[in-house]
Amino acid sequence: MREGKSFLDSIDSGPHVHVIHGIRRDGECPKTPASNQRCLWCSTVVVQARRHGSLKRFCSPGHRNAFWTAARRWVMRAVETGLLPAEALKTHQRS
């Protein structure tokens, strides 16, 4: 080590961000993953959580519930009026 410099002066003192348990300790908000996914119920942009698995399709649990309730009712009316045969619901779709 050179004279006149301490050990601490020789360490890189550039900007550092301390992250503990996924929370930034520099006062800024964590960045959320960019998404152009929109809620299937209200069409607002869905903020994607930092988690594994598939992308979120709804902005809230209430909108997810409203969507699936409406979907079930729509299918029931289609079956009752003869637009959709009940057998069509039994076939397995391969993806």
Side-chain angles (χ1 to χ4, degrees), residues 31 33 44 67 70 79:
K31 304 285 188 254
T44 61
F67 177 87
V79 169

Side-chain angles (χ1 to χ4, degrees), residues 75 79 84-92:
V75 168
V79 169
L84 180 66
E87 289 299 315
L89 299 174
K90 296 178 185 178
T91 61
H92 297 287

